Amino acid sequence: MSSFACWSLSLTLLSLLCCPGSGEEAFKVYFWSEKQIVESTDSWKVNCSTNCEAPESGGLETSLLKTKLDEHPQGKWKQFLVSNISEDVDLLCYFNCVEKQESKSFRIRVYQPPAWVTVKLHPPRVFVGEVFTIECKVSAVKPLESLTLSLLRGRETLQNQTFGGAETDPQEVTATFNSTALKKDGHNFSCQAVMDLRPYGGYIIRSTSESQVLEVYEPMQDNQMVIIIVVVSILLFLFVTSVLLCFIVGQHWHRRRTGTYGVLAAWRRLPRAFRSRPV
């Protein structure tokens, strides 16, 4: 036998002696969850399993309320119902097999959908060509990176705004959009909040505000303004003239009446001798 063959045989025997279980499948633990993201009021199923043929023990470690629903006769898997979640939490599946313990953790996230969406126009009345602001506001939501706010005119989507950032507590969101009134016809504006939870195994949640109508007016033309000014000036002139004429006529009548009766009264007060004296 060659020296190379002897060396190869020695290495093979050494590996078998040092690693007697190398031909066996490694001991593993698996975790399955009905949902990856849940609402705070939800309950959901989780399953802990292992490839160990006869595990000594196993289960689910969590601070949440859990109820065991079912399990394998040899304890290779166990199913639980988990509930009473209020914030993001890590669940831990564990099994003991041949005096060895393995575990698998899984993070469950909590979402909070929008309870309401509102839209406001600033100002609500504009002239054609003027700029106005549309404010969209959404109640506290989580996770924020799943939220998209859309500005709608009728059924047409004008603008979208997405959000991002680190994990935070649920918070209200406000977005503003600036636009220009291009025509006289009024516009119905609304805001739509969309939460896309599909990356976490969830679904899409939509909530839309009530519509607000923007009143748009055309600015007055120059000739129209001139006509209005002329008409107002004429009416003002006629009014002032009539007031002056009434005043003059009244004063003239008053003076005539006062003068006639005043002279007659003075004449009657004079003695008869003076009244008969020639002038």
Side-chain angles (χ1 to χ4, degrees):
M1 182 180 293
S2 64
S3 59
F4 178 76
C6 292
W7 177 250
S8 299
L9 180 60
S10 300
L11 287 178
T12 302
L13 292 175
L14 182 62
S15 62
L16 291 174
L17 290 174
C18 295
C19 307
S22 59
E24 299 178 359
E25 186 179 1
F27 171 36
K28 294 181 180 179
V29 173
Y30 306 95
F31 184 95
W32 173 87
S33 175
E34 183 181 22
K35 301 176 182 179
Q36 301 176 30
I37 187 168
V38 298
E39 197 171 359
S40 57
T41 57
D42 279 353
S43 298
W44 73 103
K45 297 177 182 178
V46 298
N47 190 293
C48 296
S49 61
T50 179
N51 61 349
C52 179
E53 292 297 329
E56 300 164 4
S57 60
L60 176 68
E61 287 289 342
T62 177
S63 59
L64 303 175
L65 179 64
K66 65 178 181 180
T67 304
K68 186 167 68 174
L69 300 178
D70 199 3
E71 66 177 319
H72 188 268
Q74 281 77 41
K76 295 182 62 176
W77 57 261
K78 296 183 179 184
Q79 188 180 67
F80 300 88
L81 181 68
V82 183
S83 57
N84 199 31
I85 187 172
S86 60
E87 58 185 9
D88 297 353
V89 66
D90 291 319
L91 305 181
L92 182 70
C93 282
Y94 71 92
F95 282 95
N96 294 309
C97 181
V98 194
E99 299 183 351
K100 184 179 180 181
Q101 185 180 78
E102 290 289 339
S103 61
K104 181 76 172 181
S105 63
F106 189 83
R107 188 166 185 81
I108 295 294
R109 304 183 67 183
V110 174
Y111 74 89
Q112 182 170 325
W116 47 261
V117 184
T118 61
V119 59
K120 291 185 178 179
L121 305 176
H122 306 283
R125 301 175 182 85
V126 296
F127 288 107
V128 174
E130 286 187 342
V131 177
F132 62 97
T133 301
I134 307 163
E135 180 186 82
C136 296
K137 195 170 185 178
V138 184
S139 64
V141 296
K142 181 185 179 181
L144 193 58
E145 64 267 20
S146 299
L147 177 67
T148 299
L149 271 181
S150 300
L151 172 63
L152 306 179
R153 183 175 61 196
R155 295 184 178 181
E156 178 187 4
T157 301
L158 299 182
Q159 298 182 54
N160 293 318
Q161 183 169 339
T162 56
F163 303 87
E167 280 294 312
T168 60
D169 294 331
Q171 56 182 326
E172 292 185 359
V173 178
T174 301
T176 56
F177 305 92
N178 295 321
S179 187
T180 303
L182 301 179
K183 57 182 181 178
K184 183 179 177 180
D185 296 337
H187 306 285
N188 292 327
F189 290 98
S190 60
C191 292
Q192 185 180 68
V194 178
M195 289 191 70
D196 188 358
L197 303 176
R198 290 177 297 179
Y200 310 104
Y203 50 92
I204 295 178
I205 301 174
R206 289 185 174 89
S207 183
T208 307
S209 69
E210 294 183 358
S211 299
Q212 295 292 326
V213 179
L214 177 69
E215 298 180 14
V216 184
Y217 303 94
E218 288 187 356
M220 294 184 179
Q221 302 297 329
D222 293 340
N223 56 349
Q224 292 179 337
M225 185 62 68
V226 170
I227 293 173
I228 292 175
I229 293 174
V230 170
V231 171
V232 172
S233 300
I234 292 173
L235 292 176
L236 183 60
F237 174 76
L238 292 175
F239 174 74
V240 173
T241 302
S242 62
V243 171
L244 289 175
L245 287 175
C246 290
F247 178 76
I248 293 172
V249 172
Q251 287 293 322
H252 179 69
W253 179 81
H254 179 72
R255 287 178 180 176
R256 288 185 59 187
R257 185 172 180 273
T258 305
T260 302
Y261 284 93
V263 172
L264 181 59
W267 174 258
R268 289 177 178 176
R269 286 196 299 271
L270 289 175
R272 185 177 298 274
F274 288 99
R275 283 187 290 173
S276 60
R277 182 180 299 179
V279 180

